[in-house]
Amino acid sequence: MVAQSRRAVREWALWTLTVPAFCLVVLVDLLAIGYGVTAFSELPSWDGLDLVFALTASALISVEGARRVENRRRRGGALHKDLASAWTIAAALILHPALAILVLVLLRIWWRIRAGKCIPYRWAFSTAVQVLCVGAAHGVFVSARELTGDTSLGLVASMAAAAVSYIIADNLVCGLAIALIVPGSSRRDTIGDKDDFSIDATAATLGCLLAGAAMISPWFAFLAIPITLTAQRALLLGQFESEAQTDPKTSLGRIDWWRRRTEEMLRTSRTQREPMSVLLIDIDHFKLVNDRHGHLVGDEALRAVATILRSAIRAKDVIGRFGGEEFVIALPDTDLADATVTADRLRSAVAASPLAAMCAGVLDDPDLDPDTFRLTVSIGVSVYPSDGQTVDDLLFRADRAMYAAKAAGRDRVRLAADAPTPLPGRADLARTDLQNTNLQRS
């Protein structure tokens, strides 16, 4: 029994963390334990248990009512935001820190029971982070009340400041943890995007309103349930919009979304008289990957190349999946020389990447040999205004340049100016062929 326990401890996922991530997790856990012990030791009485019950019960009803919606909204990354923090914020504002921690712990235990499988250290860490956020929010609220006094406006300002401090503390600590635990995480992966910030703002506002209502009567907390359920369902609108414009295999934008964004860029380029470039990228001999290793490996290789390309471009560049094994990138404020450098850098990045390791890590396929499983790309480059005046013109010329790169031996970059142009009278026919191909690809 002792040997099995030791073996189980040695297999904890906690030991797989890097030293910085391990230190952060342990430090936050210890700080939360210390703060919790101090808060309960300073608890003058257990008055307020009715508020604890009302907030906990109403929160559980709200969470359970929105469970299917939240399962639908989860996008698979380490970051997931919802409105559950509104109840914890309200508890931090109107209860003693010890009782607020009690509400939080009860909710977290319920979540752990209902979640089934989870990574224990992550559950403990996220609970510890929220304990510290409760402390930060309560401290800011008390300090702000001392400055603003007991006026109605002062109470509102104090609540708002406390709720903001809760959200900021949560984002900073959790964002740092995600960055350390999952190397290479983007800003969206760590702290979210504008939609996530909107969720934070909604949770903070709802927490303040809930606290104000509960100060009149604890039972007002139950009136917030339909509000939160409706708000949770409204969050699905953003989810549906994101899914509609995102390619499921690569998580890049679909070609119709890319075209809309690129047309906006092109209008800006015309107005400001700036160049804009388009790169059309095709994976060389991709059919051989599917034939030799199967379509599952092919899908993983496609995702891996998409990840490499997305990580190697600027934030303002727009990348999408053109169809099949082809990708397209729009580069604003980029002339021919810079576009050529960017294209060659992307080509080199794909050729030098350990795709076998990236795919085997997901599929655990022993047949993926790092010495043989490497992919290359051929890239065609076109530039506004010299190579075309519309998005279709730029795509057409980039497509011709990309096929010229393949004809030259693959793993190359070719410019539209160097690619053969169809004879007059056949250009429109060739462009129509490309558009029909686009429809098939998408």
Side-chain angles (χ1 to χ4, degrees):
M1 182 67 69
V2 174
Q4 291 178 350
S5 299
R6 290 178 177 175
R7 189 181 306 111
V9 170
R10 287 197 297 268
E11 293 176 355
W12 282 0
L14 178 64
W15 313 125
T16 65
L17 297 178
T18 61
V19 173
F22 178 84
C23 292
L24 176 65
V25 169
V26 173
L27 177 62
V28 170
D29 288 347
L30 292 177
L31 289 175
I33 292 173
Y35 177 74
V37 171
T38 302
F40 275 96
S41 65
E42 296 176 351
L43 180 64
S45 70
W46 289 92
D47 292 340
L49 287 180
D50 55 343
L51 270 172
V52 171
F53 171 79
L55 290 174
T56 304
S58 57
L60 290 178
I61 295 173
S62 178
V63 169
E64 286 300 309
R67 180 170 295 278
R68 292 181 62 184
V69 173
E70 288 307 309
N71 290 337
R72 182 71 175 82
R73 286 186 58 240
R74 290 187 185 275
R75 61 191 181 202
L79 181 68
H80 176 78
K81 294 187 177 183
D82 55 30
L83 300 179
S85 58
W87 310 94
T88 312
I89 291 173
L93 296 180
I94 60 178
L95 290 173
H96 186 278
L99 297 181
I101 292 173
L102 179 59
V103 172
L104 168 63
V105 171
L106 291 174
L107 294 178
R108 294 294 298 170
I109 291 175
W110 179 260
W111 181 91
R112 176 66 184 87
I113 294 172
R114 294 285 281 132
K117 293 182 178 180
C118 75
I119 301 176
Y121 87 82
R122 293 192 179 183
W123 177 86
F125 175 77
S126 59
T127 303
V129 170
Q130 293 186 45
V131 168
L132 296 180
C133 291
V134 166
H138 186 81
V140 170
F141 179 69
V142 172
S143 300
R145 287 295 301 276
E146 293 177 353
L147 293 175
T148 59
D150 293 329
T151 63
S152 299
L153 181 59
L155 178 62
V156 172
S158 300
M159 285 185 172
V164 169
S165 67
Y166 183 103
I167 296 299
I168 291 176
D170 185 41
N171 278 318
L172 288 179
V173 179
C174 289
L176 178 59
I178 293 173
L180 293 176
I181 295 172
V182 188
S185 299
S186 65
R187 190 198 68 172
R188 182 175 184 269
D189 296 328
T190 54
I191 62 175
D193 53 19
K194 62 180 181 180
D195 292 333
D196 295 304
F197 297 152
S198 297
I199 295 173
D200 285 338
T202 303
T205 304
L206 181 60
C208 292
L209 294 175
L210 184 59
M215 290 175 69
I216 300 174
S217 171
W219 311 115
F220 270 120
F222 290 92
L223 296 182
I225 294 174
I227 299 175
T228 56
L229 293 179
T230 303
Q232 295 282 105
R233 290 187 176 277
L235 295 176
L236 278 178
L237 295 177
Q239 181 84 5
F240 292 150
E241 181 181 359
S242 176
E243 290 178 355
Q245 63 189 23
T246 302
D247 174 64
K249 283 190 177 181
T250 62
S251 297
L252 300 179
R254 296 181 186 269
I255 183 61
D256 52 349
W257 170 84
W258 179 89
R259 182 184 290 275
R260 289 194 299 270
R261 290 289 307 277
T262 304
E263 287 175 346
E264 294 173 1
M265 286 185 180
L266 189 57
R267 285 194 292 269
T268 302
S269 296
R270 289 196 190 99
T271 302
Q272 300 181 356
R273 297 186 178 182
E274 294 176 342
M276 188 192 81
S277 300
V278 170
L279 308 183
L280 194 57
I281 304 168
D282 183 85
I283 302 176
D284 298 324
H285 300 300
F286 188 73
K287 185 177 183 299
L288 294 179
V289 176
N290 290 326
D291 294 341
R292 184 174 303 168
H293 301 286
H295 288 279
L296 290 179
V297 174
D299 288 346
E300 290 302 325
L302 195 67
R303 274 188 281 270
V305 173
T307 300
I308 294 167
L309 295 175
R310 181 170 49 191
S311 63
I313 60 177
R314 302 169 300 183
K316 63 180 179 180
D317 299 332
V318 179
I319 182 171
R321 185 183 179 193
F322 196 54
E325 64 272 20
E326 296 177 343
F327 307 92
V328 63
I329 304 176
L331 308 173
D333 309 326
T334 305
D335 57 18
L336 180 60
D338 291 337
T340 304
V341 171
T342 299
D344 197 61
R345 176 166 50 81
L346 295 175
R347 181 197 61 78
S348 300
V350 173
S353 296
L355 292 174
M358 297 172 71
C359 296
V362 176
L363 300 173
D364 195 21
D365 188 341
D367 295 330
L368 299 181
D369 185 357
D371 295 329
T372 60
F373 189 68
R374 290 186 176 273
L375 295 178
T376 60
V377 294
S378 298
I379 304 178
V381 181
S382 62
V383 181
Y384 168 83
S386 59
D387 296 323
Q389 299 293 318
T390 67
V391 172
D392 284 337
D393 289 339
L394 295 173
L395 280 173
F396 170 70
R397 297 298 302 276
D399 186 64
R400 293 291 166 181
M402 182 266 291
Y403 278 106
K406 286 187 170 295
R410 294 181 170 83
D411 191 21
R412 284 169 170 75
V413 174
R414 287 293 182 266
L415 309 179
D418 301 330
T421 303
L423 296 174
R426 294 186 59 84
D428 292 337
L429 178 60
R431 187 177 291 105
T432 301
D433 291 340
L434 174 61
Q435 292 172 348
N436 291 335
T437 302
N438 292 346
L439 293 175
Q440 296 173 359
R441 288 163 173 164
S442 60

